[in-house]
Amino acid sequence: MTRWQRYSGILPFALILLAWGLAPLLADYPPYILPSLPDLAQRAVEMVSDGSLLDQTLASLQRLALGFAIGNLLAIPLGLAIALNRTASDLLRPALTFLQSIAGIAWVPLAIIWFGIGSGTVIFVIANTIFFATLYSTITGVERIPNILYRAVRCHGGSGLQILTQLVLPGAFVQIILGLRNAMAYGWRALVAAEMIAGTSGLGYMTIEAVQWYQTATVMLGMILIGVLWLVLDRAIFVPIERATIRRWGMIER
Amino acid sequence: MRRRAALTGVLGLIALLAAWQISVPLVGLEPYYYPSPHDVALAFWDLLRKGILPVDIADSLGRYGLGVATGTVLGVAMGLLIGLNRAVDRMLGPLINFLFAIVEVAWIPIFVIWWGYGLKTILVALSYVVFFPVLYNTILGVRMVPQVLVHAVRSLGAGPRQVITEVVLPAALPNIITGFRVGAGFAFRGLVFAEVIAAKTGVGYLIFAGASDHQTDRTIVGMVVMGAMWLLIDTMYLKPFERATVERWGQVTAAEMRE
Amino acid sequence: MPRRPLVFTALGLALWGAFVAWSDWSGAEKLKQGGLEGRNGPLALVVTLNFAPEAFHLTRLQQAGRMLGVQGRTVRLADVSAADARALAREYWIGSVRRDVP
């Protein structure tokens, strides 16, 4: 590959930054449409130095962690139960499929009525979103286990509990882990959206509040941070987990 | 066997509704906190007879359709460009990945600053959400087109446009449809969020207005209608198209290869 | 081309078409009963709903003309064009549309 080919990907970024930097000189527009690069940098320094950035980030992450935990702790056992029990599956699947299509933001008003504006609502919406996402992937994961393996375990005198721990859990493990990663992506979106609508602190709240005051620099920094944080969480948490478990055990090929 | 499962499913739904209805007097909260299925049914009829619900559904569907269509067209176009041209891929790839990382939810505030509240903002947000799944799946589909077919058609004298319309697009269609289905799902969820922030009508708006007007039963009507709308869209349009292309084109490709 | 979307769309279009036709007919009827058939120019109307109007309806009515007053289920509008009057009459939640005599 020539050097041009390898680095051509930087060109769009460079052009955008160039246009951005020159824009105030070339055109006439109010500063809230597009803050100048120096303004942006200055605002960034302000937010870091007065600690507000860290506070908001931690607030958001706390809620994500809580919602993630609650949603998954409820979804995985329920998913296992539904996937393993034909009656439970037939009874509950239609209702759950229906509820899954409205998972997340549609519950915000109800949550506000129950929990008021603030963390309670945000955590509920996150847990709700993650619950349905993980439920689906857990059920799928268990359903993918070939029936014949169940018979094999029983042939060898395996009890119900052993089927669960030696067959089902390891068998569905890959799908569940992938599902967790997916669920976190959905959960992150739900976090930001819920904070924007019903939050009192956090990155989402900070970003949407700034709109009212036309503080576009804050909005942009919030946007970028939301994106970067998701990438960091995704790569820092799930890639190592996948590498340590799935890839090592050779269960999937990428 | 499947009929029995379906019947049990219906039974399950009825049982849940009954449990809900019975729990209302037991929980003892006012309808504002905990409406009963009966309240919700009454509210549904009320909204229908007052002409509010049809307009909300129509507005939401209109926005949804426009946004999905725009995002899909742009996604397929860009997907073809990137998938077929290595140079473009290398140049635009990083930028697109970067934009994708900034979750669509995070873009809404800046969209509001630029375009205010209203249809434009909603359409841009919806198109954005649909664009990326369609784009990535189109690229995947385009890359998977067997080069044998492209060369064969070229050797028969086909120009670049014909190669695209008669070989690449049909071959990539299953992947495109899959991307479309994923994008359509994201867009539907995004529709509610966008309507809350930037609209005055629509099912998402209904869900929120109901709560702020202390009409929780209307909120739940909105949620139920939303779920029903998605079920209809998915079972009547998305699933059939996905099934049709994946089945049909899968076979055609294999048959062509054998020749 | 899969069959289910086609059938569903066809059914939907048929139902919608029937609804539009019925709306047109009932709208013309309402105008006739209100003595507004064939009238042009800015009209003053008394619009009666089948229920007490909500914000949604008031907004819709204000798009058609200047709102002079709301009393119970009736709304008085002024400066309504003939086209807007026809559009209002077609709405099924509007009971009657009559000439307003100030």
Side-chain angles (χ1 to χ4, degrees), chain A residues 72-127:
Chain A
N72 284 318
L73 284 175
L74 289 174
I76 297 184
L78 188 63
L80 290 172
I82 291 183
L84 292 172
N85 185 321
R86 176 46 67 87
T87 321
S89 173
D90 288 345
L91 262 177
L92 294 175
R93 284 291 278 270
L96 287 171
T97 313
F98 184 82
L99 286 174
Q100 179 173 18
S101 60
I102 54 176
I105 298 299
W107 289 84
V108 174
L110 217 49
I112 294 181
I113 290 176
W114 290 338
F115 305 111
I117 301 248
S119 280
T121 296
V122 177
I123 295 176
F124 175 80
V125 171
I126 300 174

Side-chain angles (χ1 to χ4, degrees), chain C residues 33-52:
Chain C
Q33 286 169 0
L36 289 160
E37 197 180 6
R39 283 185 161 270
N40 291 322
L43 305 163
L45 304 174
V46 175
V47 177
T48 312
L49 305 177
N50 296 325
F51 43 80

Side-chain angles (χ1 to χ4, degrees), chain A residues 2-129:
Chain A
T2 68
R3 204 176 305 150
W4 162 251
Q5 285 173 329
R6 199 178 313 161
Y7 296 119
S8 59
I10 302 183
L11 190 64
F13 292 99
L15 283 174
I16 291 178
L17 283 174
L18 192 66
W20 193 342
L22 292 176
L25 304 170
L26 297 173
D28 203 21
Y29 55 85
Y32 72 80
I33 297 274
L34 195 68
S36 66
L37 285 174
D39 284 343
L40 201 67
Q42 184 189 357
R43 186 80 190 99
V45 171
E46 276 173 21
M47 290 202 308
V48 172
S49 60
D50 69 11
S52 62
L53 198 65
L54 193 64
D55 290 338
Q56 307 284 35
T57 308
L58 284 179
S60 289
L61 287 177
Q62 268 177 348
R63 296 188 192 111
L64 180 71
L66 214 56
F68 189 75
I70 297 177
N72 284 318
L73 284 175
L74 289 174
I76 297 184
L78 188 63
L80 290 172
I82 291 183
L84 292 172
N85 185 321
R86 176 46 67 87
T87 321
S89 173
D90 288 345
L91 262 177
L92 294 175
R93 284 291 278 270
L96 287 171
T97 313
F98 184 82
L99 286 174
Q100 179 173 18
S101 60
I102 54 176
I105 298 299
W107 289 84
V108 174
L110 217 49
I112 294 181
I113 290 176
W114 290 338
F115 305 111
I117 301 248
S119 280
T121 296
V122 177
I123 295 176
F124 175 80
V125 171
I126 300 174
N128 180 308
T129 310

Side-chain angles (χ1 to χ4, degrees), chain B residues 48-52 54-55 218 232 235-237 240-241 244, chain C residues 1-2 4-5 8-9 50-52 54 56-57 73 92-93:
Chain B
L48 196 61
R49 113 180 211 267
K50 290 186 180 173
I52 301 179
V55 169
R218 287 196 172 182
L232 275 179
T235 51
M236 293 296 154
Y237 291 97
F241 272 108
Chain C
M1 188 78 202
R4 190 188 289 177
F8 183 73
T9 312
N50 296 325
F51 43 80
E54 295 188 22
F56 170 82
H57 309 103
R73 292 183 180 183
Y92 66 80
W93 43 269

Side-chain angles (χ1 to χ4, degrees), chain B residues 88-108:
Chain B
V88 174
D89 177 27
R90 268 192 294 264
M91 196 181 320
L92 292 183
L95 178 67
I96 293 193
N97 291 335
F98 175 73
L99 289 176
F100 176 56
I102 301 184
V103 188
E104 69 280 2
V105 196
W107 279 97
I108 296 258

